[in-house]
Amino acid sequence: MSVGLLADAEWVRVEATLGLSTDAQSLHGQYFTPEQAAALITDMPRLPDINPIRVLDPGAGSGMLTAAIIERLVNESPGRRVEVTAVELDETLIPALERTAGLCQAWALSRKADVTIHVVQGDVITDSLSLEALFDLVVMNPPYLKLAAGSQARRTMESLGWDTPNLYTAFIAVGVEALKPSGQLVAITPRSFANGPYFGQFRKKLLRQVTINRLHTFESRSTVFSDTGVLQENIVFSATKAGEHGPVLITASRDHLGSVTERLIPYDELVSPVDPEEFIRITTDDASEQATLAMSGLPCTLTDLGLSVSTGRVVDFRARGNLTKEPCPDSVPLVYPANLRKGKVCWPRFIGKAQGFIVRNDDDRKALLPPGYYVLVKRFSAKEERRRIVAAMWAPERNGEVPVAFENHLNVFHIGGEGVDPELGWGLCLWLNTSIVDRYFRTFSGHTQVNATDLRSLRYPDAETLRHIGRAVNALPDQNTLDTIVDEVLGEKVAV
C-alpha cells in the first residue's frame, strides 16, 4: 500500500466520489483522477527552471492533480516557491478540495517548502474572459460533457476564437489561454479530438497555439478510471505554448503500473504537414510505424480515383413512416450495417428494428441511389469485430438491379452519386479490409467510429492495382490470405 501525500489525497478522492450521486457526476461530466493516474500525468511535463512556478488546476475536483504536482515539484526542486490555483465549479466538492489543500500545505511545511494553494469556487469557462496568461504550468483532468451550440460556455469560447463542442476541449482551450509563452499544459483527455471533423476547428487552432512534446496511450480502455465505469479511450499529452516542433516522445502502457514502451518520432509523423485535416497520428510500435510508412507511399487519394464517400442518406427514425419489413409497390431495399457480412451485403436480413425496405415518395427519392455497385463501410464497428474498418460490396447480380437506400450508419463509396466499376469497387472493398488499413487507422482514431472524413484522409493504391486486387479473389478470404494477396499484388511488404 502506498503512503505519503498522494495516498492521503487518494483517501479524500474516494470519500468525495462516494458522496456524489451518479446524476450529479453526469451533470458536471466528472471523472476523478485516481492516485496512479495523477502520478503519471504530473510526471509528463518538463519542469521549467523558474522561481516561483505558478500552476493552474482547472476542474480540480478533490485535488488529486494538485497534490501530485506539488509532490513532484517539492521533491525535485526543494527550494522553489510554488503557487497553485485550484478551481472547482461544484460547491459540494470544495470541502474535499480544501482538505486536500491542507494536506498538501502540511506536507510541504514538513519539508520546509514554500507552497501556496488558492482554492477557488467558480466556473473556469465563463471566468476565462478575464483570465490572464499568468501560469507556467497547467495540469488538468477536464470534465467530459457535450456542449450545445448555444450554451454559455460555447459562446464564451467562441468569443476567444475557439470552437469547443465538448467541455473537455473548452477546458483545454482555457488552459492554453492561461499559459505564459513557453508554458506547458498536461492533460488526460478522450482521444476523440485527434481526428475527425467534429473537433476539426478546435484541433487546428490547438496545434497552432501549442507544440505537443509527449503523448501517452493506454492499451486498455477500462484501467484509467477503473472505479468509475468509464470506457472512453484516453490519452495523456503535454504541450508547450508557442514551442518549436521537435521530436515527440510516444509512450504506451496497458495500465498505470504496467511496463511502458517508448518511441521517439519526428513531429511530422505525429502531424503530417500535408494533411489538411491535421490528424494527430500515434504510432506506438513498429507495426504501426510500418503501416504509416507504407500508406504514405501510396499514390492516390479518393479524388485521384474519381471516387467519393458520404454517409448513407436515410435516418431511419425520421423516415419511420416510409419503412417496412414487407415489399410493397414502389418499395426499394434499405441496407443497414447489420446487413454487411464477410465482404458482402446479406439482404434482406432483419435484425432488431431494421425494416429492410423504404417506400419511395417525393420526400425520400433524394435518399435513393440508382442501381449499381457500391462499397459500404460501417460507421461503427462492433466490439467483437477485429477490424475498425469493416467493408462490404452491394452488388446488383446478388442484390438486384434496383435503386437502393443506405441507412445513415453506413459510409458509401460512389462516383457522383452513382455506382462504381465492379472490379475497382471489389478491389477497394478488399483493400479496406486489410490489416494494414486497420493498423494505420488506429494511429489516428481511438474509437470505433469511422467517419467519411477519415476515409477521405487515407491514401489508396492506384485504380489498376485495385482492379488487380479485385480480379485476384471473388470472395473475402480469411485475414492472413487477404493480407498475403494484397502484399503480392503491391509487390512490397505492406501487410502487417
Side-chain angles (χ1 to χ4, degrees):
M1 174 181 272
S2 61
V3 295
L5 176 58
L6 272 188
D8 291 340
E10 174 71 357
W11 279 110
V12 178
R13 180 192 76 88
V14 171
E15 290 181 359
T17 302
L18 293 175
L20 289 176
S21 69
T22 303
D23 290 343
Q25 288 185 270
S26 298
L27 177 65
H28 296 293
Q30 295 168 327
Y31 303 100
F32 296 132
T33 316
E35 173 187 358
Q36 294 163 349
L40 186 152
I41 294 163
T42 54
D43 186 57
M44 295 278 286
R46 301 184 303 269
L47 297 185
D49 186 18
I50 54 177
N51 193 20
I53 181 168
R54 294 184 170 90
V55 182
L56 173 65
D57 180 0
S62 66
M64 277 300 303
L65 286 177
T66 289
I69 194 64
I70 286 173
E71 184 175 78
R72 182 184 174 197
L73 287 167
V74 170
N75 284 338
E76 295 189 16
S77 302
R80 179 164 22 194
R81 185 155 57 93
V82 180
E83 298 178 5
V84 178
T85 299
V87 184
E88 176 52 47
L89 172 63
D90 187 353
E91 61 182 10
T92 65
L93 287 173
I94 296 302
L97 180 54
E98 289 178 337
R99 184 180 169 191
T100 300
L103 291 170
C104 291
Q105 291 185 306
W107 179 86
L109 184 62
S110 71
R111 286 156 176 75
K112 298 181 172 56
D114 187 356
V115 173
T116 303
I117 304 172
H118 306 284
V119 173
V120 179
Q121 195 271 314
D123 188 337
V124 76
I125 303 298
T126 56
D127 292 344
S128 62
L129 292 174
S130 59
L131 193 63
E132 298 181 38
L134 295 175
F135 296 94
D136 307 295
L137 186 60
V138 175
V139 294
M140 68 167 70
N141 171 14
Y144 180 84
L145 195 68
K146 187 175 181 179
L147 291 178
S151 65
Q152 180 60 50
R154 194 146 181 188
R155 290 199 305 268
T156 299
M157 298 318 301
E158 286 171 353
S159 71
L160 294 173
W162 291 88
D163 179 12
T164 55
N166 197 288
L167 195 53
Y168 88 84
T169 55
F171 265 70
I172 294 173
V174 167
V176 172
E177 295 290 337
L179 282 174
K180 297 176 181 177
S182 299
Q184 293 178 82
L185 177 144
V186 59
I188 183 167
T189 74
R191 188 175 166 178
S192 50
F193 78 94
N195 71 296
Y198 189 66
F199 293 100
Q201 294 305 312
F202 166 79
R203 181 173 60 251
K204 291 174 182 179
K205 183 173 177 68
L206 176 69
L207 293 173
R208 281 158 180 71
Q209 297 285 321
V210 304
T211 295
I212 296 175
N213 311 118
R214 182 176 171 186
L215 195 149
H216 184 88
T217 69
F218 300 93
E219 294 177 15
S220 171
R221 289 171 179 255
S222 60
T223 55
V224 183
F225 302 102
S226 56
D227 60 352
T228 66
V230 175
L231 296 180
Q232 173 75 39
E233 185 158 346
N234 292 276
I235 60 173
V236 186
F237 71 94
S238 64
T240 302
K241 189 170 184 177
E244 295 184 1
H245 291 182
V248 183
L249 179 63
I250 305 293
T251 57
S253 63
R254 179 163 181 78
D255 50 34
H256 314 113
L257 300 177
S259 59
V260 176
T261 61
E262 295 187 357
R263 297 179 63 82
L264 194 65
I265 65 171
Y267 201 87
D268 287 357
E269 187 175 318
L270 184 77
V271 183
S272 172
V274 297
D275 178 8
E277 299 297 331
E278 299 183 49
F279 286 0
I280 298 171
R281 306 174 190 272
I282 306 170
T283 52
T284 58
D285 53 28
D286 290 342
S288 57
E289 182 182 23
Q290 290 169 13
T292 298
L293 291 173
M295 290 289 285
S296 64
L298 294 173
C300 292
T301 64
L302 280 183
T303 301
D304 297 330
L305 294 169
L307 297 175
S308 299
V309 62
S310 53
T311 56
R313 298 174 181 176
V314 176
V315 180
D316 63 350
F317 71 87
R318 293 177 182 166
R320 189 173 295 126
N322 294 323
L323 305 184
T324 176
K325 283 191 176 182
E326 300 295 334
C328 62
D330 226 19
S331 67
V332 301
L334 173 60
V335 180
Y336 287 82
N339 294 119
L340 276 59
R341 300 280 291 176
K342 298 181 179 180
K344 298 179 180 180
V345 177
C346 298
W347 181 92
R349 182 172 182 252
F350 305 113
I351 296 177
K353 297 181 180 180
Q355 298 297 299
F357 295 89
I358 185 169
V359 179
R360 288 181 283 188
N361 60 27
D362 291 339
D363 292 333
D364 290 325
R365 286 185 188 278
K366 61 184 178 182
L368 308 184
L369 292 176
Y373 295 85
Y374 297 95
V375 179
L376 310 176
V377 171
K378 293 183 180 182
R379 288 183 60 202
F380 297 90
S381 56
K383 292 180 181 179
E384 63 271 14
E385 288 170 323
R386 291 179 54 196
R387 295 188 308 273
R388 297 282 178 88
I389 296 181
V390 178
M393 184 84 148
W394 172 267
E397 70 268 15
R398 186 168 57 251
N399 303 117
E401 283 278 358
V402 293
V404 61
F406 299 108
E407 200 268 335
N408 189 248
H409 288 87
L410 289 168
N411 295 298
V412 184
F413 287 84
H414 54 90
I415 299 177
E418 298 186 353
V420 303
D421 169 79
E423 281 190 352
L424 177 66
W426 183 236
L428 174 63
C429 176
L430 293 169
W431 168 252
L432 290 168
N433 281 308
T434 59
S435 295
I436 184 176
V437 172
D438 179 73
R439 177 69 68 175
Y440 179 71
F441 182 79
R442 291 170 188 267
T443 67
F444 63 80
S445 176
H447 48 78
T448 58
Q449 184 170 350
V450 181
N451 299 303
T453 301
D454 299 332
L455 297 171
R456 294 187 197 106
S457 76
L458 300 178
R459 303 290 298 181
Y460 295 85
D462 59 56
E464 184 51 42
T465 300
L466 288 173
R467 289 190 178 93
H468 192 166
I469 294 172
R471 289 191 294 266
V473 61
N474 58 13
L476 183 65
D478 66 81
Q479 195 66 59
N480 288 337
T481 301
L482 175 61
D483 293 339
T484 299
I485 290 169
V486 170
D487 178 17
E488 292 173 350
V489 170
L490 291 179
E492 58 182 353
K493 187 67 176 175
V494 297
V496 293

